[in-house]
Amino acid sequence: MIKDKILKALNKQLNEELYSSYAYLAMSAHFSSQSLDGFAHWFRLQSQEEYGHAMKILDYINTRNGKVSLMKIDPPKTEWKKPQEVVQEAYDQEVFVSKSINDIVGLSLTEKDYATNNFMQWFVSEQVEEESEASKLLNRINLVGDNKNGLLLLDKELGMRATGN
Ligand code: FEO
């Protein structure tokens, strides 16, 4: 049986992953409205990936005979002035999620829930990758600056992303 403290933390994380999915969907829609279809595609896949993370947690809670509690998802931001701002917020979101994942790992150790600790290791590795991807994109879009040709070139490249990681 899963302890209440762990269950609460996992349900909170489930909500955060759904929020991430929602936030990336809003970013994707924003880029679509700007005709930056490559960025829109990249963020749509990112949104799907976050939904996948949420489902992984939901399935794990069920496997441990815990109760899944779906909470209200906060509405994400929908307006940005520059593409750089959007990517900066995506990066910040990943850093936030990493901290939240690490907190659950810490809690699983103090509560001696080694199954949850083991489960969360996948997320630890995933966050290293996600932070790295977001940071790389942030560096590149900052390099592009106000150069429209550079932006369109980056948009074309992002449009080639095949799947969520
Ligand atoms: Fe599932 Fe990128 O946090």
Side-chain angles (χ1 to χ4, degrees), residues 46-69:
Q46 200 62 25
S47 170
Q48 288 168 2
E49 202 177 308
E50 297 301 346
Y51 180 79
H53 295 171
M55 293 309 104
K56 229 177 175 38
I57 295 170
L58 183 148
D59 289 343
Y60 176 73
I61 294 172
N62 275 329
T63 305
R64 296 287 310 274
N65 286 326
K67 169 130 181 61
V68 170
S69 304

Side-chain angles (χ1 to χ4, degrees), residues 17 50 53 94 97 127 130:
E17 300 289 346
E50 297 301 346
H53 295 171
E94 290 304 333
V97 168
Q127 279 313 116
E130 299 233 309

Side-chain angles (χ1 to χ4, degrees), residues 97-107 120 124 127 131:
V97 168
S98 295
K99 186 188 173 306
S100 173
I101 298 278
N102 288 340
D103 287 347
I104 300 178
V105 171
L107 181 68
M120 291 306 294
V124 172
Q127 279 313 116
E131 267 193 46

Side-chain angles (χ1 to χ4, degrees), residues 17-164:
E17 300 289 346
L18 287 172
Y19 173 78
S20 291
S21 177
Y22 223 31
Y24 289 141
L25 195 59
M27 291 172 181
S28 173
H30 170 76
F31 282 122
S32 282
S33 76
Q34 309 278 303
S35 298
L36 286 168
D37 294 343
F39 278 89
H41 170 74
W42 195 93
F43 276 95
R44 174 80 69 100
L45 289 179
Q46 200 62 25
S47 170
Q48 288 168 2
E49 202 177 308
E50 297 301 346
Y51 180 79
H53 295 171
M55 293 309 104
K56 229 177 175 38
I57 295 170
L58 183 148
D59 289 343
Y60 176 73
I61 294 172
N62 275 329
T63 305
R64 296 287 310 274
N65 286 326
K67 169 130 181 61
V68 170
S69 304
L70 293 176
M71 294 172 263
K72 189 178 89 170
I73 305 167
D74 289 335
K77 184 172 165 178
T78 53
E79 298 284 345
W80 295 268
K81 288 195 188 79
K82 286 174 154 209
Q84 280 88 347
E85 252 183 45
V86 184
V87 179
Q88 177 70 55
E89 283 175 23
Y91 174 71
D92 293 345
Q93 176 66 15
E94 290 304 333
V95 171
F96 173 79
V97 168
S98 295
K99 186 188 173 306
S100 173
I101 298 278
N102 288 340
D103 287 347
I104 300 178
V105 171
L107 181 68
S108 70
L109 288 175
T110 52
E111 293 296 319
K112 294 187 168 37
D113 184 342
Y114 301 114
T116 296
N117 184 273
N118 187 48
F119 170 72
M120 291 306 294
Q121 292 306 316
W122 183 90
F123 285 89
V124 172
S125 305
E126 178 70 4
Q127 279 313 116
V128 170
E129 205 178 297
E130 299 233 309
E131 267 193 46
S132 161
E133 285 297 310
S135 156
K136 202 158 59 174
L137 185 56
L138 183 59
N139 285 339
R140 297 180 74 200
I141 200 156
N142 283 337
L143 277 174
V144 163
D146 291 330
N147 182 323
K148 298 271 187 294
N149 285 337
L151 183 66
L152 290 174
L153 211 60
L154 186 54
D155 185 62
K156 193 172 172 190
E157 191 188 312
L158 294 178
M160 293 188 313
R161 178 176 174 179
T163 55

